[in-house]
Amino acid sequence: MVLRFMEDKRKDVWGLLLVLLLGQLVAFSMAVSSFTSSLIATLGVDAPLTQSFFAYLLLTLVYVPILFHRRQKLKIPWYWYLALAFIDVQGNYLVVKAYQYSYITSVTLLDCWTVVWVIVLTWYALGTRYSFWQFVGAGTCVAGLALVLLSDSKSADAQDPSKIPLLGDALVIAGTVFFAFSNVGEEYCVKKKDRVEVVAMFGLFGLLVSIIQIFMFERKNLDAIAWSPKMICLFAGFAVAIFMFYTITPFVLKMSGSTLFNLSLLTSDMWAVAIRVLFYHQQINWLYYTAFAVVAIGLIIYSLNDHSSDNGTTASTEAAAQYQQLPSEDNSTEKGSNGSQERKQQEEVHIC
């Protein structure tokens, strides 16, 4: 028993380390995508749909052939994947567009608004109920994000006169609404169905939606791009970073859920601070550091109370499953119980 307990503990430790490593890879990929997007915007290129196009193309080229090789029917109807991919493309468009107006630090931290929208969405759409402390954690995150808006409203325009920070912040917050819908749908699909199918369909339908919207809204901006080797490397770096994000995220969601996933993304915010200070040589308002600390505290409070609701849901589901028996099973159970009672009576008579 002791050896088995030690082995289980060892497996839990290695499993936790693996999840933390994957979470940091996700955070690093987010930091790389943020850096490439901000640098592309700094070079005067405004083509968020084209950036997403290359990312979805890479996902399609890698995962769709794997899906075709399996020769299996889709476990989820294709139109649901189309809807989720459309929502995901809009979220990526708004967030990448925000780099034209706001700073990398603000965009990365304001992504945490997704947590708030997920709570609202799951409360009304899925009937999920949250504890008091989870609401406290979410409210703390909102307070920290409000400090980000205050910091941007007081930012020095001399750093970059072309920036309109509050407009960029509004685009990020709007993008997180779309991300909330796509994240909830993706987490459901990942935990209930096949990870490869989910990523492949996100890539395929995201590619189709991106192509249509590029022809509708972004052809002029695309023609204005000077495709130098540096620009090609930036677009390729963004595509590879997003590819890593979509590849690793399902494993993190499957192994730990969205809580540790959101906590891991805080590391990308610190990468964003380092990039802005060391690469762009820009000063950061002290309110940003305060906002980061407040958001971190809010996410920790939310995370510490996240398992209770999950366990309650699991327990109620298991309890319901135990009592949902078929009529034949009920009859067989009753017959078995009657038979056991008769045997007990016979044994008592024999003992007497």
Side-chain angles (χ1 to χ4, degrees), residues 98 101-113 139-156 164-173 176 266 269-270 272-273 276 283-296 299:
Y101 307 103
S102 191
Y103 301 103
I104 182 175
T105 48
S106 300
V107 174
T108 53
L109 189 56
L110 285 171
D111 278 343
C112 293
W113 267 103
T140 306
C141 289
V142 172
L145 297 174
L147 290 177
V148 176
L149 299 178
L150 182 61
S151 172
D152 285 342
S153 66
K154 294 184 177 181
S155 62
I164 310 176
L166 290 180
L167 175 58
D169 296 346
L171 291 174
V172 178
I173 294 174
T176 58
L266 281 177
D269 300 327
M270 297 312 299
V273 171
R276 185 174 172 184
Q283 295 181 354
I284 298 177
N285 194 304
W286 63 271
L287 281 174
Y288 177 84
Y289 298 104
T290 305
F292 177 85
V294 173
V295 171
L299 284 176

Short mmCIF file of all heavy atoms in Angstrom, two decimals, residues 98 101-113 139-156 164-173 176 266 269-270 272-273 276 283-296 299:
data_model
loop_
_atom_site.label_atom_id
_atom_site.label_comp_id
_atom_site.label_asym_id
_atom_site.label_seq_id
_atom_site.Cartn_x
_atom_site.Cartn_y
_atom_site.Cartn_z
N ALA A 98 -5.78 45.33 -32.54
CA ALA A 98 -5.53 46.21 -31.39
C ALA A 98 -4.09 46.66 -31.31
O ALA A 98 -3.79 47.72 -30.74
CB ALA A 98 -5.94 45.50 -30.10
N TYR A 101 -3.11 50.18 -32.32
CA TYR A 101 -3.48 51.33 -31.50
C TYR A 101 -2.96 51.27 -30.07
O TYR A 101 -2.78 52.31 -29.44
CB TYR A 101 -5.01 51.46 -31.45
CG TYR A 101 -5.65 51.51 -32.81
CD1 TYR A 101 -6.29 50.39 -33.34
CD2 TYR A 101 -5.61 52.66 -33.59
CE1 TYR A 101 -6.88 50.42 -34.59
CE2 TYR A 101 -6.18 52.71 -34.84
CZ TYR A 101 -6.82 51.59 -35.34
OH TYR A 101 -7.38 51.62 -36.59
N SER A 102 -2.75 50.06 -29.54
CA SER A 102 -2.37 49.94 -28.13
C SER A 102 -0.99 49.30 -28.02
O SER A 102 -0.36 48.94 -29.02
CB SER A 102 -3.41 49.11 -27.37
OG SER A 102 -3.18 49.21 -25.97
N TYR A 103 -0.52 49.14 -26.78
CA TYR A 103 0.80 48.61 -26.51
C TYR A 103 0.72 47.12 -26.21
O TYR A 103 -0.30 46.59 -25.77
CB TYR A 103 1.44 49.35 -25.32
CG TYR A 103 1.57 50.83 -25.55
CD1 TYR A 103 0.69 51.73 -24.95
CD2 TYR A 103 2.57 51.34 -26.37
CE1 TYR A 103 0.80 53.09 -25.16
CE2 TYR A 103 2.69 52.71 -26.59
CZ TYR A 103 1.80 53.57 -25.98
OH TYR A 103 1.91 54.92 -26.20
N ILE A 104 1.84 46.42 -26.42
CA ILE A 104 1.87 44.98 -26.26
C ILE A 104 1.52 44.56 -24.84
O ILE A 104 0.85 43.55 -24.62
CB ILE A 104 3.26 44.43 -26.67
CG1 ILE A 104 3.29 42.90 -26.57
CG2 ILE A 104 4.37 45.06 -25.88
CD1 ILE A 104 4.58 42.30 -27.08
N THR A 105 1.93 45.34 -23.85
CA THR A 105 1.65 44.99 -22.45
C THR A 105 0.16 45.04 -22.16
O THR A 105 -0.39 44.17 -21.47
CB THR A 105 2.40 45.93 -21.52
OG1 THR A 105 2.20 47.30 -21.94
CG2 THR A 105 3.90 45.65 -21.53
N SER A 106 -0.51 46.06 -22.66
CA SER A 106 -1.94 46.20 -22.41
C SER A 106 -2.74 45.11 -23.12
O SER A 106 -3.67 44.53 -22.55
CB SER A 106 -2.43 47.58 -22.88
OG SER A 106 -1.75 48.60 -22.20
N VAL A 107 -2.36 44.80 -24.36
CA VAL A 107 -3.10 43.79 -25.12
C VAL A 107 -3.00 42.42 -24.45
O VAL A 107 -4.00 41.71 -24.30
CB VAL A 107 -2.58 43.72 -26.57
CG1 VAL A 107 -3.24 42.57 -27.33
CG2 VAL A 107 -2.84 45.03 -27.29
N THR A 108 -1.80 42.04 -24.01
CA THR A 108 -1.62 40.72 -23.42
C THR A 108 -2.34 40.59 -22.08
O THR A 108 -2.93 39.55 -21.79
CB THR A 108 -0.12 40.42 -23.23
OG1 THR A 108 0.49 41.50 -22.50
CG2 THR A 108 0.58 40.27 -24.56
N LEU A 109 -2.32 41.64 -21.27
CA LEU A 109 -2.98 41.54 -19.97
C LEU A 109 -4.50 41.62 -20.09
O LEU A 109 -5.23 40.94 -19.37
CB LEU A 109 -2.48 42.65 -19.03
CG LEU A 109 -2.93 42.53 -17.57
CD1 LEU A 109 -2.54 41.19 -16.98
CD2 LEU A 109 -2.34 43.65 -16.72
N LEU A 110 -4.99 42.42 -21.03
CA LEU A 110 -6.43 42.54 -21.20
C LEU A 110 -7.06 41.27 -21.76
O LEU A 110 -8.29 41.13 -21.75
CB LEU A 110 -6.76 43.73 -22.11
CG LEU A 110 -6.62 45.11 -21.48
CD1 LEU A 110 -6.75 46.20 -22.52
CD2 LEU A 110 -7.66 45.31 -20.39
N ASP A 111 -6.23 40.33 -22.24
CA ASP A 111 -6.76 39.03 -22.64
C ASP A 111 -7.47 38.32 -21.49
O ASP A 111 -8.30 37.44 -21.72
CB ASP A 111 -5.63 38.14 -23.17
CG ASP A 111 -5.31 38.47 -24.62
OD1 ASP A 111 -6.14 39.12 -25.27
OD2 ASP A 111 -4.23 38.07 -25.10
N CYS A 112 -7.11 38.69 -20.26
CA CYS A 112 -7.73 38.05 -19.10
C CYS A 112 -9.22 38.36 -19.00
O CYS A 112 -9.93 37.74 -18.19
CB CYS A 112 -7.03 38.48 -17.81
SG CYS A 112 -5.31 37.88 -17.70
N TRP A 113 -9.72 39.31 -19.77
CA TRP A 113 -11.16 39.55 -19.80
C TRP A 113 -11.92 38.30 -20.24
O TRP A 113 -13.11 38.17 -19.97
CB TRP A 113 -11.47 40.70 -20.76
CG TRP A 113 -11.55 42.04 -20.12
CD1 TRP A 113 -10.60 43.01 -20.15
CD2 TRP A 113 -12.62 42.58 -19.33
NE1 TRP A 113 -11.01 44.11 -19.44
CE2 TRP A 113 -12.26 43.87 -18.93
CE3 TRP A 113 -13.86 42.08 -18.93
CZ2 TRP A 113 -13.07 44.68 -18.15
CZ3 TRP A 113 -14.68 42.89 -18.15
CH2 TRP A 113 -14.29 44.17 -17.77
N GLY A 139 -14.03 39.35 -9.82
CA GLY A 139 -14.15 40.79 -9.58
C GLY A 139 -12.80 41.45 -9.36
O GLY A 139 -12.57 42.58 -9.81
N THR A 140 -11.89 40.73 -8.69
CA THR A 140 -10.54 41.25 -8.50
C THR A 140 -9.83 41.41 -9.83
O THR A 140 -9.11 42.40 -10.07
CB THR A 140 -9.74 40.33 -7.57
OG1 THR A 140 -10.46 40.13 -6.35
CG2 THR A 140 -8.37 40.91 -7.26
N CYS A 141 -10.02 40.42 -10.73
CA CYS A 141 -9.44 40.52 -12.07
C CYS A 141 -9.97 41.75 -12.81
O CYS A 141 -9.22 42.48 -13.47
CB CYS A 141 -9.75 39.26 -12.88
SG CYS A 141 -8.86 37.79 -12.34
N VAL A 142 -11.27 41.98 -12.70
CA VAL A 142 -11.87 43.15 -13.37
C VAL A 142 -11.27 44.44 -12.82
O VAL A 142 -10.99 45.38 -13.58
CB VAL A 142 -13.40 43.13 -13.19
CG1 VAL A 142 -14.02 44.42 -13.71
CG2 VAL A 142 -14.00 41.94 -13.93
N ALA A 143 -11.06 44.49 -11.50
CA ALA A 143 -10.45 45.69 -10.91
C ALA A 143 -9.04 45.91 -11.44
O ALA A 143 -8.64 47.04 -11.76
CB ALA A 143 -10.42 45.55 -9.38
N GLY A 144 -8.27 44.81 -11.57
CA GLY A 144 -6.93 44.94 -12.13
C GLY A 144 -6.94 45.40 -13.57
O GLY A 144 -6.12 46.23 -14.00
N LEU A 145 -7.87 44.86 -14.35
CA LEU A 145 -7.96 45.26 -15.76
C LEU A 145 -8.43 46.71 -15.90
O LEU A 145 -8.06 47.39 -16.85
CB LEU A 145 -8.92 44.31 -16.49
CG LEU A 145 -8.45 42.84 -16.52
CD1 LEU A 145 -9.52 41.96 -17.13
CD2 LEU A 145 -7.16 42.71 -17.31
N ALA A 146 -9.24 47.17 -14.95
CA ALA A 146 -9.63 48.58 -14.96
C ALA A 146 -8.41 49.47 -14.74
O ALA A 146 -8.31 50.57 -15.31
CB ALA A 146 -10.68 48.84 -13.89
N LEU A 147 -7.46 48.99 -13.93
CA LEU A 147 -6.22 49.75 -13.73
C LEU A 147 -5.40 49.83 -15.02
O LEU A 147 -4.71 50.82 -15.27
CB LEU A 147 -5.39 49.11 -12.62
CG LEU A 147 -5.94 49.25 -11.19
CD1 LEU A 147 -5.05 48.49 -10.21
CD2 LEU A 147 -6.04 50.71 -10.79
N VAL A 148 -5.48 48.77 -15.85
CA VAL A 148 -4.79 48.81 -17.15
C VAL A 148 -5.37 49.93 -18.00
O VAL A 148 -4.64 50.71 -18.64
CB VAL A 148 -4.92 47.46 -17.87
CG1 VAL A 148 -4.29 47.54 -19.26
CG2 VAL A 148 -4.24 46.36 -17.07
N LEU A 149 -6.71 50.02 -18.03
CA LEU A 149 -7.35 51.10 -18.80
C LEU A 149 -6.95 52.46 -18.27
O LEU A 149 -6.71 53.40 -19.03
CB LEU A 149 -8.86 50.92 -18.76
CG LEU A 149 -9.43 49.61 -19.34
CD1 LEU A 149 -10.94 49.57 -19.19
CD2 LEU A 149 -9.05 49.46 -20.80
N LEU A 150 -6.89 52.58 -16.93
CA LEU A 150 -6.48 53.85 -16.33
C LEU A 150 -5.03 54.17 -16.69
O LEU A 150 -4.69 55.33 -16.98
CB LEU A 150 -6.65 53.78 -14.81
CG LEU A 150 -6.31 55.05 -14.03
CD1 LEU A 150 -7.20 56.21 -14.47
CD2 LEU A 150 -6.44 54.80 -12.53
N SER A 151 -4.18 53.15 -16.69
CA SER A 151 -2.78 53.35 -17.05
C SER A 151 -2.64 53.81 -18.48
O SER A 151 -1.85 54.72 -18.78
CB SER A 151 -2.00 52.04 -16.83
OG SER A 151 -0.69 52.13 -17.33
N ASP A 152 -3.42 53.22 -19.40
CA ASP A 152 -3.34 53.62 -20.80
C ASP A 152 -3.90 55.01 -21.03
O ASP A 152 -3.44 55.74 -21.92
CB ASP A 152 -4.09 52.60 -21.67
CG ASP A 152 -3.31 51.31 -21.84
OD1 ASP A 152 -2.09 51.32 -21.59
OD2 ASP A 152 -3.92 50.29 -22.20
N SER A 153 -4.90 55.37 -20.25
CA SER A 153 -5.46 56.72 -20.41
C SER A 153 -4.48 57.79 -19.97
O SER A 153 -4.56 58.93 -20.42
CB SER A 153 -6.76 56.85 -19.60
OG SER A 153 -6.49 56.76 -18.20
N LYS A 154 -3.52 57.43 -19.11
CA LYS A 154 -2.53 58.38 -18.63
C LYS A 154 -1.16 58.19 -19.28
O LYS A 154 -0.18 58.80 -18.85
CB LYS A 154 -2.37 58.26 -17.11
CG LYS A 154 -3.61 58.67 -16.32
CD LYS A 154 -3.35 58.62 -14.83
CE LYS A 154 -4.57 59.11 -14.05
NZ LYS A 154 -4.32 59.09 -12.59
N SER A 155 -1.10 57.30 -20.29
CA SER A 155 0.19 57.03 -20.92
C SER A 155 0.67 58.26 -21.69
O SER A 155 -0.11 59.04 -22.22
CB SER A 155 0.08 55.84 -21.88
OG SER A 155 -0.84 56.12 -22.90
N ALA A 156 1.97 58.37 -21.77
CA ALA A 156 2.57 59.53 -22.44
C ALA A 156 2.45 59.37 -23.95
O ALA A 156 2.94 58.41 -24.53
CB ALA A 156 4.03 59.66 -22.04
N ILE A 164 -3.50 54.98 -30.13
CA ILE A 164 -4.72 55.40 -29.45
C ILE A 164 -5.04 54.29 -28.46
O ILE A 164 -5.84 53.37 -28.76
CB ILE A 164 -5.88 55.62 -30.44
CG1 ILE A 164 -5.45 56.50 -31.60
CG2 ILE A 164 -7.08 56.23 -29.73
CD1 ILE A 164 -6.51 56.68 -32.66
N PRO A 165 -4.41 54.28 -27.29
CA PRO A 165 -4.46 53.12 -26.39
C PRO A 165 -5.87 52.67 -26.02
O PRO A 165 -6.15 51.47 -26.00
CB PRO A 165 -3.68 53.59 -25.15
CG PRO A 165 -2.77 54.65 -25.67
CD PRO A 165 -3.55 55.34 -26.75
N LEU A 166 -6.76 53.60 -25.71
CA LEU A 166 -8.10 53.19 -25.28
C LEU A 166 -8.88 52.52 -26.40
O LEU A 166 -9.67 51.60 -26.15
CB LEU A 166 -8.86 54.41 -24.76
CG LEU A 166 -8.35 54.99 -23.43
CD1 LEU A 166 -9.19 56.19 -23.01
CD2 LEU A 166 -8.36 53.92 -22.34
N LEU A 167 -8.66 52.94 -27.65
CA LEU A 167 -9.30 52.27 -28.78
C LEU A 167 -8.78 50.84 -28.91
O LEU A 167 -9.55 49.89 -29.13
CB LEU A 167 -9.06 53.05 -30.07
CG LEU A 167 -9.58 52.40 -31.36
CD1 LEU A 167 -11.08 52.14 -31.28
CD2 LEU A 167 -9.22 53.25 -32.57
N GLY A 168 -7.46 50.69 -28.77
CA GLY A 168 -6.89 49.34 -28.82
C GLY A 168 -7.40 48.47 -27.69
O GLY A 168 -7.69 47.27 -27.89
N ASP A 169 -7.53 49.05 -26.49
CA ASP A 169 -8.05 48.29 -25.36
C ASP A 169 -9.49 47.84 -25.61
O ASP A 169 -9.87 46.72 -25.27
CB ASP A 169 -7.98 49.13 -24.09
CG ASP A 169 -6.56 49.47 -23.69
OD1 ASP A 169 -5.63 48.83 -24.24
OD2 ASP A 169 -6.37 50.36 -22.85
N ALA A 170 -10.29 48.72 -26.23
CA ALA A 170 -11.67 48.36 -26.55
C ALA A 170 -11.72 47.21 -27.55
O ALA A 170 -12.56 46.30 -27.44
CB ALA A 170 -12.42 49.57 -27.09
N LEU A 171 -10.82 47.22 -28.52
CA LEU A 171 -10.77 46.12 -29.49
C LEU A 171 -10.41 44.81 -28.82
O LEU A 171 -10.96 43.76 -29.14
CB LEU A 171 -9.76 46.45 -30.60
CG LEU A 171 -10.14 47.58 -31.56
CD1 LEU A 171 -8.98 47.88 -32.50
CD2 LEU A 171 -11.39 47.22 -32.34
N VAL A 172 -9.47 44.85 -27.88
CA VAL A 172 -9.08 43.63 -27.16
C VAL A 172 -10.26 43.08 -26.37
O VAL A 172 -10.54 41.87 -26.39
CB VAL A 172 -7.89 43.90 -26.22
CG1 VAL A 172 -7.54 42.64 -25.44
CG2 VAL A 172 -6.68 44.35 -27.03
N ILE A 173 -10.95 43.95 -25.64
CA ILE A 173 -12.09 43.51 -24.83
C ILE A 173 -13.17 42.91 -25.72
O ILE A 173 -13.78 41.88 -25.39
CB ILE A 173 -12.63 44.68 -23.99
CG1 ILE A 173 -11.58 45.11 -22.96
CG2 ILE A 173 -13.93 44.28 -23.28
CD1 ILE A 173 -11.96 46.35 -22.18
N THR A 176 -12.06 39.46 -26.74
CA THR A 176 -12.18 38.44 -25.70
C THR A 176 -13.59 37.87 -25.61
O THR A 176 -13.78 36.74 -25.15
CB THR A 176 -11.76 39.00 -24.33
OG1 THR A 176 -12.57 40.15 -24.02
CG2 THR A 176 -10.30 39.40 -24.33
N LEU A 266 -0.38 34.23 -17.64
CA LEU A 266 0.17 35.42 -16.98
C LEU A 266 1.66 35.57 -17.26
O LEU A 266 2.20 36.68 -17.26
CB LEU A 266 -0.06 35.34 -15.47
CG LEU A 266 -1.47 35.71 -14.97
CD1 LEU A 266 -1.55 35.52 -13.48
CD2 LEU A 266 -1.82 37.13 -15.35
N ASP A 269 2.46 37.80 -20.05
CA ASP A 269 2.40 39.22 -19.74
C ASP A 269 3.76 39.76 -19.28
O ASP A 269 4.14 40.88 -19.61
CB ASP A 269 1.34 39.48 -18.66
CG ASP A 269 -0.04 39.03 -19.11
OD1 ASP A 269 -0.32 39.12 -20.31
OD2 ASP A 269 -0.82 38.58 -18.26
N MET A 270 4.48 38.94 -18.52
CA MET A 270 5.81 39.36 -18.09
C MET A 270 6.78 39.39 -19.27
O MET A 270 7.66 40.24 -19.33
CB MET A 270 6.32 38.44 -16.98
CG MET A 270 5.47 38.46 -15.71
SD MET A 270 5.09 40.14 -15.14
CE MET A 270 6.73 40.78 -14.81
N ALA A 272 5.85 40.20 -22.19
CA ALA A 272 5.46 41.43 -22.88
C ALA A 272 6.12 42.65 -22.24
O ALA A 272 6.55 43.59 -22.94
CB ALA A 272 3.94 41.58 -22.87
N VAL A 273 6.22 42.65 -20.91
CA VAL A 273 6.90 43.75 -20.21
C VAL A 273 8.36 43.82 -20.63
O VAL A 273 8.91 44.90 -20.94
CB VAL A 273 6.78 43.57 -18.69
CG1 VAL A 273 7.66 44.59 -17.96
CG2 VAL A 273 5.34 43.73 -18.24
N ARG A 276 8.69 45.17 -24.22
CA ARG A 276 8.43 46.60 -24.35
C ARG A 276 9.58 47.43 -23.77
O ARG A 276 9.94 48.47 -24.33
CB ARG A 276 7.13 46.95 -23.65
CG ARG A 276 6.72 48.41 -23.83
CD ARG A 276 5.34 48.69 -23.25
NE ARG A 276 5.05 50.12 -23.27
CZ ARG A 276 3.96 50.65 -22.76
NH1 ARG A 276 3.03 49.88 -22.19
NH2 ARG A 276 3.76 51.96 -22.80
N GLN A 283 8.90 53.35 -21.54
CA GLN A 283 8.62 53.31 -20.11
C GLN A 283 7.20 52.78 -19.87
O GLN A 283 6.30 53.00 -20.68
CB GLN A 283 8.75 54.71 -19.50
CG GLN A 283 10.17 55.27 -19.55
CD GLN A 283 10.26 56.63 -18.92
OE1 GLN A 283 9.25 57.22 -18.53
NE2 GLN A 283 11.48 57.15 -18.80
N ILE A 284 7.04 52.09 -18.76
CA ILE A 284 5.75 51.50 -18.40
C ILE A 284 5.23 52.19 -17.16
O ILE A 284 5.95 52.33 -16.15
CB ILE A 284 5.87 49.98 -18.17
CG1 ILE A 284 6.34 49.31 -19.47
CG2 ILE A 284 4.55 49.38 -17.72
CD1 ILE A 284 6.54 47.81 -19.32
N ASN A 285 3.98 52.62 -17.21
CA ASN A 285 3.36 53.28 -16.08
C ASN A 285 3.31 52.33 -14.89
O ASN A 285 3.04 51.13 -15.03
CB ASN A 285 1.94 53.72 -16.46
CG ASN A 285 1.36 54.70 -15.46
OD1 ASN A 285 1.28 54.43 -14.28
ND2 ASN A 285 0.94 55.86 -15.96
N TRP A 286 3.57 52.86 -13.70
CA TRP A 286 3.59 52.02 -12.50
C TRP A 286 2.23 51.37 -12.25
O TRP A 286 2.15 50.32 -11.59
CB TRP A 286 3.99 52.85 -11.28
CG TRP A 286 3.03 53.96 -10.95
CD1 TRP A 286 3.04 55.23 -11.41
CD2 TRP A 286 1.90 53.87 -10.08
NE1 TRP A 286 2.00 55.96 -10.90
CE2 TRP A 286 1.28 55.14 -10.07
CE3 TRP A 286 1.35 52.85 -9.31
CZ2 TRP A 286 0.14 55.40 -9.32
CZ3 TRP A 286 0.21 53.10 -8.56
CH2 TRP A 286 -0.39 54.37 -8.57
N LEU A 287 1.16 51.96 -12.78
CA LEU A 287 -0.16 51.35 -12.60
C LEU A 287 -0.25 49.98 -13.26
O LEU A 287 -1.03 49.13 -12.82
CB LEU A 287 -1.24 52.28 -13.18
CG LEU A 287 -1.67 53.47 -12.32
CD1 LEU A 287 -2.63 54.36 -13.10
CD2 LEU A 287 -2.32 52.98 -11.03
N TYR A 288 0.55 49.76 -14.33
CA TYR A 288 0.51 48.46 -14.99
C TYR A 288 0.98 47.36 -14.06
O TYR A 288 0.38 46.28 -13.99
CB TYR A 288 1.37 48.48 -16.26
CG TYR A 288 1.40 47.13 -16.93
CD1 TYR A 288 0.39 46.74 -17.81
CD2 TYR A 288 2.42 46.23 -16.66
CE1 TYR A 288 0.40 45.48 -18.39
CE2 TYR A 288 2.44 44.97 -17.24
CZ TYR A 288 1.43 44.61 -18.11
OH TYR A 288 1.44 43.36 -18.69
N TYR A 289 2.08 47.60 -13.33
CA TYR A 289 2.58 46.59 -12.41
C TYR A 289 1.57 46.31 -11.31
O TYR A 289 1.38 45.16 -10.88
CB TYR A 289 3.92 47.03 -11.82
CG TYR A 289 5.00 47.21 -12.85
CD1 TYR A 289 5.39 48.48 -13.27
CD2 TYR A 289 5.62 46.11 -13.43
CE1 TYR A 289 6.38 48.66 -14.22
CE2 TYR A 289 6.61 46.26 -14.39
CZ TYR A 289 6.99 47.54 -14.78
OH TYR A 289 7.95 47.70 -15.74
N THR A 290 0.91 47.36 -10.83
CA THR A 290 -0.15 47.17 -9.83
C THR A 290 -1.29 46.35 -10.42
O THR A 290 -1.83 45.44 -9.77
CB THR A 290 -0.67 48.53 -9.36
OG1 THR A 290 0.42 49.32 -8.88
CG2 THR A 290 -1.70 48.36 -8.26
N ALA A 291 -1.64 46.66 -11.67
CA ALA A 291 -2.73 45.93 -12.33
C ALA A 291 -2.36 44.46 -12.49
O ALA A 291 -3.19 43.56 -12.27
CB ALA A 291 -3.03 46.55 -13.69
N PHE A 292 -1.12 44.19 -12.87
CA PHE A 292 -0.68 42.79 -13.03
C PHE A 292 -0.79 42.03 -11.72
O PHE A 292 -1.26 40.89 -11.68
CB PHE A 292 0.76 42.76 -13.54
CG PHE A 292 1.32 41.36 -13.68
CD1 PHE A 292 1.09 40.62 -14.82
CD2 PHE A 292 2.06 40.79 -12.66
CE1 PHE A 292 1.58 39.34 -14.94
CE2 PHE A 292 2.57 39.52 -12.77
CZ PHE A 292 2.32 38.78 -13.92
N ALA A 293 -0.35 42.66 -10.61
CA ALA A 293 -0.43 42.00 -9.31
C ALA A 293 -1.88 41.73 -8.91
O ALA A 293 -2.21 40.65 -8.41
CB ALA A 293 0.26 42.87 -8.26
N VAL A 294 -2.77 42.70 -9.17
CA VAL A 294 -4.18 42.53 -8.81
C VAL A 294 -4.81 41.41 -9.64
O VAL A 294 -5.55 40.57 -9.11
CB VAL A 294 -4.94 43.86 -9.00
CG1 VAL A 294 -6.44 43.65 -8.80
CG2 VAL A 294 -4.43 44.91 -8.02
N VAL A 295 -4.51 41.37 -10.94
CA VAL A 295 -5.05 40.31 -11.80
C VAL A 295 -4.54 38.94 -11.36
O VAL A 295 -5.29 37.95 -11.32
CB VAL A 295 -4.69 40.58 -13.27
CG1 VAL A 295 -5.05 39.38 -14.15
CG2 VAL A 295 -5.43 41.82 -13.77
N ALA A 296 -3.25 38.86 -11.03
CA ALA A 296 -2.67 37.59 -10.57
C ALA A 296 -3.36 37.12 -9.30
O ALA A 296 -3.69 35.93 -9.16
CB ALA A 296 -1.17 37.76 -10.34
N LEU A 299 -6.86 35.80 -10.21
CA LEU A 299 -6.84 34.49 -10.84
C LEU A 299 -6.50 33.39 -9.84
O LEU A 299 -7.03 32.27 -9.92
CB LEU A 299 -5.84 34.48 -12.00
CG LEU A 299 -6.29 35.19 -13.27
CD1 LEU A 299 -5.17 35.18 -14.30
CD2 LEU A 299 -7.54 34.53 -13.85
#
